Coordinates of all heavy atoms in Angstrom, one line a residue:
M1 N 0.8 -1.2 0.0 CA 0.0 0.0 0.0 C 0.9 1.3 0.0 O 0.4 2.3 -0.3 CB -0.9 0.0 1.2 CG -2.0 -1.0 1.2 SD -3.2 -0.8 -0.1 CE -4.3 0.4 0.6
S2 N 2.1 1.1 0.3 CA 3.0 2.3 0.4 C 3.2 2.9 -0.9 O 3.6 4.1 -1.0 CB 4.3 1.9 1.1 OG 5.0 1.0 0.4
S3 N 3.0 2.2 -2.0 CA 3.2 2.8 -3.3 C 2.0 3.6 -3.8 O 2.1 4.2 -4.8 CB 3.6 1.7 -4.3 OG 2.5 0.8 -4.4
L4 N 1.0 3.4 -3.0 CA -0.3 4.1 -3.4 C -0.1 5.6 -3.1 O 0.2 6.0 -2.0 CB -1.5 3.6 -2.7 CG -2.8 3.9 -3.2 CD1 -3.1 3.3 -4.5 CD2 -3.9 3.5 -2.2
K5 N -0.4 6.4 -4.2 CA -0.3 7.9 -4.0 C -1.5 8.5 -4.6 O -1.9 8.1 -5.7 CB 1.0 8.4 -4.6 CG 2.2 8.3 -3.7 CD 3.3 9.2 -4.2 CE 4.5 9.2 -3.2 NZ 5.5 10.1 -3.6
C6 N -1.9 9.6 -4.0 CA -3.0 10.3 -4.7 C -2.7 11.8 -4.5 O -2.0 12.2 -3.6 CB -4.4 10.0 -4.1 SG -4.7 10.7 -2.5
P7 N -3.1 12.7 -5.4 CA -2.8 14.1 -5.3 C -3.3 14.7 -4.0 O -2.7 15.6 -3.5 CB -3.6 14.7 -6.5 CG -3.8 13.5 -7.4 CD -3.9 12.3 -6.6
G8 N -4.4 14.2 -3.5 CA -5.0 14.7 -2.3 C -4.1 14.5 -1.1 O -3.9 15.4 -0.3
M9 N -3.5 13.3 -1.1 CA -2.5 13.0 0.0 C -1.3 13.9 -0.1 O -0.8 14.4 0.9 CB -2.1 11.5 -0.1 CG -1.2 11.1 1.1 SD -0.6 9.5 0.9 CE 0.8 9.8 -0.1
E10 N -0.8 14.1 -1.3 CA 0.3 15.0 -1.4 C 0.0 16.4 -0.9 O 0.8 17.0 -0.2 CB 0.7 15.1 -2.9 CG 1.3 13.8 -3.5 CD 2.6 13.4 -2.8 OE1 3.5 14.2 -2.9 OE2 2.6 12.3 -2.2
R11 N -1.2 16.8 -1.2 CA -1.6 18.1 -0.8 C -1.7 18.2 0.7 O -1.3 19.2 1.4 CB -2.9 18.5 -1.4 CG -3.4 19.9 -1.1 CD -4.7 20.3 -1.9 NE -5.2 21.5 -1.3 CZ -4.8 22.7 -1.6 NH1 -3.8 22.9 -2.4 NH2 -5.4 23.7 -1.0
I12 N -2.4 17.2 1.3 CA -2.7 17.3 2.7 C -1.4 17.1 3.6 O -1.3 17.5 4.7 CB -3.8 16.3 3.1 CG1 -4.5 16.8 4.4 CG2 -3.2 14.9 3.3 CD1 -5.8 16.0 4.6
R13 N -0.4 16.4 3.0 CA 0.8 16.2 3.7 C 1.9 17.1 3.3 O 3.1 16.9 3.6 CB 1.2 14.7 3.4 CG 0.3 13.8 4.2 CD 1.0 12.4 4.2 NE 0.3 11.5 5.2 CZ 0.5 10.2 5.3 NH1 1.3 9.6 4.5 NH2 -0.1 9.5 6.2
A14 N 1.6 18.1 2.6 CA 2.6 19.1 2.2 C 3.2 19.7 3.4 O 2.6 19.9 4.4 CB 1.9 20.2 1.3
S15 N 4.5 20.0 3.3 CA 5.2 20.5 4.4 C 5.3 22.0 4.5 O 6.2 22.6 5.1 CB 6.6 19.9 4.5 OG 7.3 20.2 3.3
F16 N 4.4 22.7 3.8 CA 4.3 24.1 3.8 C 2.9 24.5 4.0 O 2.0 23.8 3.7 CB 4.9 24.7 2.5 CG 4.2 24.1 1.2 CD1 3.0 24.7 0.7 CD2 4.7 23.0 0.6 CE1 2.4 24.1 -0.4 CE2 4.1 22.4 -0.5 CZ 2.9 23.0 -1.0
P17 N 2.7 25.7 4.6 CA 1.3 26.1 4.8 C 0.6 26.7 3.6 O 1.3 27.3 2.8 CB 1.5 27.2 5.9 CG 2.9 27.8 5.6 CD 3.7 26.7 5.0
D18 N -0.7 26.5 3.6 CA -1.5 27.3 2.7 C -1.8 28.6 3.3 O -1.8 28.8 4.5 CB -2.8 26.5 2.4 CG -2.6 25.4 1.4 OD1 -1.7 25.4 0.6 OD2 -3.4 24.4 1.5
E19 N -2.1 29.6 2.4 CA -2.5 30.9 3.0 C -4.0 31.1 2.7 O -4.4 30.9 1.6 CB -1.6 32.0 2.3 CG -0.2 31.9 2.8 CD 0.6 33.1 2.3 OE1 0.1 33.8 1.4 OE2 1.7 33.3 2.8
A20 N -4.6 31.6 3.7 CA -6.0 32.0 3.5 C -6.2 33.4 3.9 O -5.5 33.9 4.8 CB -6.9 31.1 4.4
A21 N -7.1 34.1 3.3 CA -7.4 35.5 3.6 C -8.5 35.6 4.6 O -9.6 35.1 4.4 CB -7.7 36.2 2.3
C22 N -8.2 36.3 5.7 CA -9.2 36.6 6.7 C -10.1 37.8 6.2 O -9.6 38.6 5.3 CB -8.5 37.0 8.0 SG -9.7 37.5 9.3
R23 N -11.3 37.8 6.7 CA -12.2 38.9 6.2 C -11.6 40.3 6.7 O -12.1 41.3 6.1 CB -13.6 38.7 6.8 CG -13.7 38.6 8.3 CD -15.1 38.5 8.7 NE -15.2 38.2 10.2 CZ -15.5 37.0 10.7 NH1 -15.9 36.0 9.9 NH2 -15.5 36.8 12.0
C24 N -10.7 40.3 7.6 CA -10.1 41.6 8.0 C -9.0 42.0 7.1 O -8.5 43.2 7.1 CB -9.6 41.6 9.4 SG -8.0 40.7 9.6
G25 N -8.6 41.1 6.2 CA -7.6 41.5 5.2 C -6.2 40.9 5.5 O -5.4 40.9 4.6
A26 N -6.1 40.3 6.7 CA -4.8 39.7 7.0 C -4.7 38.3 6.4 O -5.7 37.7 6.0 CB -4.7 39.6 8.6
T27 N -3.5 37.9 6.3 CA -3.2 36.5 5.7 C -3.0 35.6 6.8 O -2.2 35.9 7.7 CB -2.0 36.6 4.8 OG1 -2.3 37.5 3.7 CG2 -1.7 35.2 4.2
V28 N -3.6 34.5 6.8 CA -3.5 33.5 7.8 C -2.9 32.2 7.3 O -3.3 31.8 6.2 CB -4.9 33.1 8.4 CG1 -4.8 32.1 9.6 CG2 -5.6 34.4 8.9
E29 N -1.9 31.7 7.9 CA -1.3 30.4 7.5 C -2.0 29.2 8.0 O -2.3 29.1 9.2 CB 0.2 30.4 7.9 CG 1.0 31.4 7.1 CD 2.5 31.2 7.4 OE1 2.8 30.5 8.5 OE2 3.3 31.7 6.7
L30 N -2.3 28.3 7.1 CA -2.9 27.1 7.5 C -2.0 25.9 7.2 O -1.7 25.6 6.0 CB -4.3 26.9 6.8 CG -5.4 27.8 7.2 CD1 -6.4 27.9 6.1 CD2 -6.1 27.3 8.4
W31 N -1.6 25.2 8.2 CA -0.7 24.1 8.0 C -1.5 22.9 7.6 O -2.7 22.8 7.8 CB 0.1 23.8 9.3 CG 1.1 24.9 9.5 CD1 1.0 26.1 10.1 CD2 2.4 24.9 8.9 NE1 2.1 26.8 10.0 CE2 3.0 26.2 9.2 CE3 3.2 24.1 8.1 CZ2 4.3 26.6 8.8 CZ3 4.5 24.4 7.7 CH2 5.0 25.7 8.1
P32 N -0.8 21.9 6.9 CA -1.6 20.8 6.3 C -2.5 20.0 7.3 O -3.5 19.5 6.9 CB -0.5 19.9 5.8 CG 0.7 20.8 5.5 CD 0.6 21.9 6.6
D33 N -2.2 20.0 8.6 CA -3.1 19.3 9.5 C -4.1 20.3 10.2 O -4.7 19.9 11.1 CB -2.2 18.6 10.6 CG -1.5 19.6 11.5 OD1 -1.3 20.7 11.1 OD2 -1.1 19.2 12.6
E34 N -4.2 21.5 9.7 CA -5.1 22.4 10.2 C -6.2 22.7 9.2 O -5.9 22.9 8.0 CB -4.5 23.7 10.6 CG -3.4 23.6 11.7 CD -2.8 24.9 12.0 OE1 -2.5 25.7 11.0 OE2 -2.5 25.2 13.1
F35 N -7.4 22.7 9.6 CA -8.5 23.1 8.7 C -9.0 24.4 9.0 O -9.8 25.0 8.3 CB -9.6 22.0 8.8 CG -9.1 20.7 8.4 CD1 -8.9 19.7 9.3 CD2 -8.7 20.4 7.1 CE1 -8.4 18.4 9.0 CE2 -8.2 19.2 6.7 CZ -8.1 18.2 7.7
E36 N -8.6 24.9 10.2 CA -9.0 26.2 10.6 C -7.9 26.8 11.5 O -7.3 26.1 12.2 CB -10.3 26.1 11.4 CG -11.1 27.3 11.6 CD -12.4 27.0 12.4 OE1 -12.4 27.0 13.6 OE2 -13.4 26.8 11.7
A37 N -7.7 28.1 11.4 CA -6.7 28.8 12.2 C -7.2 30.1 12.7 O -8.2 30.7 12.1 CB -5.4 28.9 11.4
R38 N -6.6 30.6 13.7 CA -7.0 31.9 14.2 C -6.2 33.0 13.5 O -5.0 32.9 13.3 CB -6.6 32.0 15.7 CG -7.5 31.2 16.6 CD -8.8 31.9 16.9 NE -9.8 31.0 17.4 CZ -11.1 31.3 17.5 NH1 -11.5 32.5 17.1 NH2 -11.9 30.4 18.0
C39 N -6.9 34.0 13.1 CA -6.3 35.2 12.5 C -5.4 35.9 13.5 O -5.9 36.2 14.6 CB -7.3 36.1 11.9 SG -6.6 37.7 11.3
P40 N -4.1 36.1 13.2 CA -3.3 36.8 14.2 C -3.6 38.2 14.4 O -3.3 38.9 15.4 CB -1.9 36.6 13.6 CG -2.1 36.5 12.1 CD -3.4 35.8 12.0
A41 N -4.4 38.8 13.5 CA -4.7 40.2 13.5 C -6.0 40.5 14.3 O -6.0 41.4 15.2 CB -4.8 40.8 12.1
C42 N -7.0 39.7 14.0 CA -8.3 40.0 14.6 C -8.9 38.9 15.5 O -9.8 39.0 16.2 CB -9.3 40.4 13.5 SG -9.9 39.0 12.5
G43 N -8.2 37.7 15.4 CA -8.6 36.6 16.2 C -9.8 35.8 15.7 O -10.2 34.8 16.3
A44 N -10.3 36.1 14.5 CA -11.4 35.4 13.9 C -10.9 34.0 13.4 O -9.7 33.8 13.1 CB -11.9 36.1 12.7
A45 N -11.8 33.0 13.4 CA -11.4 31.7 12.9 C -11.5 31.8 11.4 O -12.5 32.2 10.8 CB -12.4 30.7 13.4
V46 N -10.4 31.4 10.7 CA -10.4 31.4 9.3 C -10.3 29.9 8.8 O -9.4 29.2 9.2 CB -9.1 32.2 8.8 CG1 -9.1 32.1 7.3 CG2 -9.2 33.6 9.3
A47 N -11.2 29.5 8.0 CA -11.2 28.1 7.5 C -10.4 28.0 6.2 O -10.3 29.0 5.4 CB -12.6 27.7 7.2
R48 N -9.9 26.9 6.0 CA -9.2 26.6 4.7 C -10.1 26.9 3.5 O -11.2 26.4 3.5 CB -8.7 25.1 4.8 CG -7.8 24.7 3.7 CD -7.5 23.2 3.9 NE -6.5 23.1 4.9 CZ -5.2 23.2 4.6 NH1 -4.7 23.6 3.5 NH2 -4.3 23.0 5.6
E49 N -9.5 27.5 2.5 CA -10.4 27.9 1.4 C -10.7 26.7 0.5 O -11.8 26.5 0.0 CB -9.6 28.9 0.5 CG -9.7 30.3 1.1 CD -9.0 31.3 0.3 OE1 -8.3 31.0 -0.6 OE2 -9.1 32.5 0.6
A50 N -9.7 25.9 0.3 CA -9.9 24.7 -0.6 C -9.5 23.4 0.2 O -8.4 23.0 0.2 CB -9.0 24.8 -1.8
P51 N -10.5 22.9 1.0 CA -10.2 21.7 1.7 C -9.9 20.5 0.9 O -10.3 20.5 -0.3 CB -11.6 21.5 2.5 CG -12.6 22.2 1.7 CD -11.9 23.3 1.0
P52 N -9.1 19.6 1.4 CA -8.7 18.4 0.6 C -9.9 17.5 0.4 O -10.1 16.6 1.2 CB -7.6 17.8 1.5 CG -7.9 18.3 2.8 CD -8.5 19.6 2.7
A53 N -10.7 17.8 -0.6 CA -12.0 17.2 -0.7 C -11.9 15.7 -0.9 O -12.9 15.0 -0.6 CB -12.8 17.8 -1.9
C54 N -10.8 15.2 -1.4 CA -10.7 13.8 -1.7 C -10.9 13.0 -0.4 O -11.4 11.8 -0.4 CB -9.4 13.4 -2.3 SG -8.0 13.6 -1.2
V55 N -10.6 13.6 0.7 CA -10.8 12.9 2.0 C -12.2 12.6 2.3 O -12.5 11.6 2.9 CB -10.2 13.8 3.2 CG1 -10.5 13.3 4.5 CG2 -8.7 14.0 3.0
E56 N -13.1 13.4 1.7 CA -14.6 13.1 1.9 C -15.1 11.9 1.2 O -15.9 11.2 1.7 CB -15.4 14.4 1.4 CG -15.2 15.6 2.2 CD -15.9 16.8 1.7 OE1 -17.1 16.6 1.4 OE2 -15.4 17.8 1.5
W57 N -14.6 11.7 0.0 CA -15.2 10.6 -0.8 C -14.2 9.4 -1.1 O -14.6 8.3 -1.4 CB -15.7 11.1 -2.1 CG -14.8 12.0 -2.9 CD1 -14.8 13.3 -2.9 CD2 -13.7 11.5 -3.7 NE1 -13.8 13.8 -3.8 CE2 -13.1 12.7 -4.3 CE3 -13.2 10.3 -4.1 CZ2 -12.0 12.6 -5.1 CZ3 -12.1 10.2 -4.9 CH2 -11.5 11.4 -5.4
C58 N -12.9 9.6 -0.9 CA -12.0 8.6 -1.2 C -12.0 7.5 -0.2 O -12.0 7.7 1.0 CB -10.5 9.2 -1.2 SG -9.3 7.9 -1.6
A59 N -12.2 6.3 -0.7 CA -12.4 5.1 0.2 C -11.1 4.8 1.0 O -11.2 4.2 2.0 CB -12.8 3.9 -0.6
A60 N -10.0 5.3 0.5 CA -8.7 5.0 1.1 C -8.3 6.1 2.0 O -7.2 6.1 2.6 CB -7.6 4.7 0.1
A61 N -9.1 7.2 2.1 CA -8.7 8.4 2.8 C -8.2 8.1 4.2 O -7.3 8.7 4.7 CB -9.8 9.4 2.8
R62 N -9.0 7.3 4.9 CA -8.7 7.0 6.3 C -7.2 6.5 6.5 O -6.5 6.9 7.4 CB -9.7 6.1 6.9 CG -9.6 5.9 8.4 CD -10.7 5.1 9.0 NE -11.9 5.9 9.2 CZ -12.3 6.5 10.3 NH1 -11.5 6.4 11.4 NH2 -13.4 7.1 10.4
E63 N -6.9 5.6 5.6 CA -5.5 5.0 5.7 C -4.5 6.0 5.1 O -3.4 6.1 5.5 CB -5.5 3.7 4.9 CG -6.2 2.6 5.5 CD -6.1 1.3 4.6 OE1 -5.1 1.1 4.1 OE2 -7.2 0.7 4.5
C64 N -5.0 6.7 4.1 CA -4.1 7.6 3.4 C -3.6 8.8 4.2 O -2.4 9.0 4.3 CB -4.9 8.2 2.2 SG -3.9 9.1 1.0
V65 N -4.5 9.5 4.9 CA -4.1 10.6 5.7 C -3.9 10.3 7.2 O -3.4 11.1 8.0 CB -5.0 11.8 5.5 CG1 -5.2 12.2 4.1 CG2 -6.4 11.5 6.1
G66 N -4.4 9.1 7.5 CA -4.3 8.7 8.9 C -5.7 8.9 9.6 O -6.4 9.8 9.3
E67 N -6.0 8.0 10.5 CA -7.3 8.0 11.2 C -7.6 9.3 11.9 O -8.6 9.9 11.9 CB -7.4 6.8 12.1 CG -8.8 6.6 12.5 CD -9.0 5.2 13.2 OE1 -8.2 4.3 12.9 OE2 -9.9 5.1 13.9
A68 N -6.6 9.8 12.7 CA -6.8 11.0 13.5 C -7.1 12.2 12.6 O -8.0 12.9 12.9 CB -5.5 11.2 14.3
L69 N -6.3 12.3 11.6 CA -6.5 13.5 10.7 C -7.9 13.4 9.9 O -8.6 14.3 9.8 CB -5.4 13.6 9.7 CG -5.4 14.8 8.7 CD1 -5.5 16.1 9.5 CD2 -4.1 14.8 8.0
H70 N -8.2 12.2 9.5 CA -9.5 11.9 8.9 C -10.6 12.3 9.8 O -11.6 12.9 9.4 CB -9.5 10.4 8.5 CG -10.7 10.1 7.7 ND1 -11.9 9.6 8.3 CD2 -11.0 10.1 6.4 CE1 -12.8 9.4 7.3 NE2 -12.3 9.7 6.2
D71 N -10.6 11.8 11.0 CA -11.7 12.1 12.0 C -11.8 13.6 12.2 O -12.9 14.1 12.3 CB -11.4 11.4 13.3 CG -11.7 9.9 13.1 OD1 -12.2 9.5 12.1 OD2 -11.4 9.1 14.1
R72 N -10.7 14.3 12.3 CA -10.7 15.7 12.6 C -11.3 16.4 11.4 O -12.1 17.4 11.6 CB -9.3 16.2 12.8 CG -8.8 16.0 14.2 CD -7.4 16.4 14.4 NE -7.1 17.8 14.0 CZ -5.9 18.3 13.8 NH1 -4.8 17.5 14.0 NH2 -5.7 19.6 13.5
Y73 N -11.0 16.0 10.2 CA -11.5 16.6 9.0 C -13.1 16.4 9.0 O -13.8 17.3 8.7 CB -10.9 16.0 7.8 CG -11.5 16.6 6.5 CD1 -11.1 17.8 6.1 CD2 -12.5 16.0 5.8 CE1 -11.6 18.4 4.9 CE2 -13.1 16.5 4.7 CZ -12.6 17.8 4.3 OH -13.2 18.3 3.2
M74 N -13.5 15.2 9.3 CA -14.9 14.9 9.2 C -15.7 15.7 10.3 O -16.8 16.2 10.1 CB -15.2 13.4 9.4 CG -14.8 12.6 8.2 SD -15.5 13.3 6.7 CE -14.9 12.1 5.5
K75 N -15.1 15.8 11.5 CA -15.7 16.6 12.5 C -15.8 18.1 12.1 O -16.8 18.7 12.4 CB -14.9 16.5 13.8 CG -15.3 15.3 14.6 CD -14.4 15.2 15.9 CE -14.5 13.8 16.5 NZ -13.4 13.5 17.5
H76 N -14.7 18.6 11.5 CA -14.7 20.0 11.1 C -15.8 20.2 10.0 O -16.5 21.1 10.1 CB -13.4 20.3 10.6 CG -13.3 21.7 10.0 ND1 -13.2 22.8 10.8 CD2 -13.3 22.2 8.7 CE1 -13.2 23.9 10.0 NE2 -13.3 23.5 8.8
K77 N -15.9 19.2 9.1 CA -16.8 19.3 8.0 C -18.3 19.4 8.6 O -19.1 20.2 8.2 CB -16.7 18.1 7.1 CG -17.4 18.2 5.8 CD -16.7 19.1 4.9 CE -17.6 19.4 3.7 NZ -17.0 20.5 2.9
K78 N -18.5 18.5 9.6 CA -19.8 18.5 10.2 C -20.2 19.8 10.9 O -21.3 20.3 10.8 CB -19.9 17.3 11.1 CG -21.2 16.7 11.4 CD -21.1 15.5 12.3 CE -22.5 14.9 12.6 NZ -22.4 13.7 13.4
A79 N -19.2 20.3 11.5 CA -19.4 21.5 12.3 C -19.6 22.7 11.5 O -20.2 23.7 12.0 CB -18.2 21.7 13.3
T80 N -19.1 22.7 10.3 CA -19.2 23.9 9.5 C -20.2 23.8 8.4 O -20.4 24.8 7.6 CB -17.8 24.2 8.8 OG1 -17.4 23.1 8.2 CG2 -16.8 24.6 9.9
S81 N -20.8 22.7 8.2 CA -21.8 22.6 7.1 C -23.2 22.7 7.7 O -23.5 22.7 8.8 CB -21.6 21.3 6.4 OG -21.8 20.2 7.3
Ligands
ZN101 ZN1 -8.5 38.8 10.7

């Protein structure tokens, strides 16, 4: 299974942060294991703009990204939808 790779996994395991724009105009860094972060400027919760959607429907997602991360993603998804 270690040879199995998908673009979603690459994205979610990237070792650099994505940047999201807060509504106050500040830029918030979101690390791959974060789906939401606090804006350093105003303290608002900023959600990832482009969530790794493959985690939602990919049958291998749980193994792919790890159970803990998968569960966190699903909880976040439930809380924000
Ligand atoms: Zn802000």
Side-chain angles (χ1 to χ4, degrees):
M1 292 296 278
S2 59
S3 63
L4 195 68
K5 277 194 172 185
C6 76
M9 185 187 82
E10 291 297 301
R11 182 176 167 77
I12 204 168
R13 288 195 165 168
S15 57
F16 52 88
D18 282 331
E19 292 188 344
C22 177
R23 57 176 172 250
C24 78
T27 300
V28 182
E29 287 187 344
L30 288 159
W31 289 90
D33 65 340
E34 296 177 320
F35 300 109
E36 197 176 85
R38 288 277 162 196
C39 172
C42 72
V46 179
R48 187 180 281 280
E49 283 178 352
C54 68
V55 173
E56 290 178 49
W57 49 260
C58 181
R62 187 174 280 267
E63 290 176 42
C64 189
V65 301
E67 194 168 334
L69 185 50
H70 184 267
D71 285 352
R72 277 173 59 194
Y73 179 80
M74 288 309 183
K75 275 178 193 163
H76 176 75
K77 192 74 190 167
K78 204 173 178 183
T80 53
S81 58

